[in-house]
Amino acid sequence: VKFEGIIVDKLGKYTRPTNLKDNCLHIQSDDPVIAKELEGRSKKIIEKANLLIPKALIERTKITSKKEK
């Protein structure tokens, strides 16, 4: 499953999954503003991820940002 299938708009270009552990999808963003936007979309991200990765049973997300230079 491609991560781009979960976050399909322009924000997908600046994010990546870092871990899937204990039903939590960890996502890293290149920018704190994008991370904040994704936090607001968390419920939709979880729903879409569970459709694309049914065995994952994702219940929550943890979104962090790392400003790349």
Side-chain angles (χ1 to χ4, degrees):
V1 174
K2 291 185 177 183
F3 186 65
E4 293 81 22
I6 296 171
I7 301 176
V8 295
D9 59 13
K10 294 177 186 177
L11 300 182
K13 182 177 176 182
Y14 304 102
T15 59
R16 70 207 55 73
T18 57
N19 200 359
L20 178 56
K21 184 177 179 181
D22 298 326
N23 302 84
C24 180
L25 176 61
H26 296 253
I27 301 170
Q28 185 177 45
S29 166
D30 294 342
D31 186 273
V33 174
I34 293 172
K36 190 70 171 171
E37 174 67 25
L38 293 179
E39 286 174 7
R41 298 181 184 192
S42 186
K43 185 176 178 180
K44 287 186 178 188
I45 291 170
I46 291 167
E47 290 172 1
K48 193 156 203 176
N50 281 323
L51 285 173
L52 295 174
I53 317 167
K55 294 182 180 180
L57 300 173
I58 297 166
E59 297 173 352
R60 62 192 184 285
T61 60
K62 181 175 182 181
I63 301 168
T64 56
S65 65
K66 179 182 178 185
K67 186 82 171 183
E68 294 186 0
K69 296 180 179 184

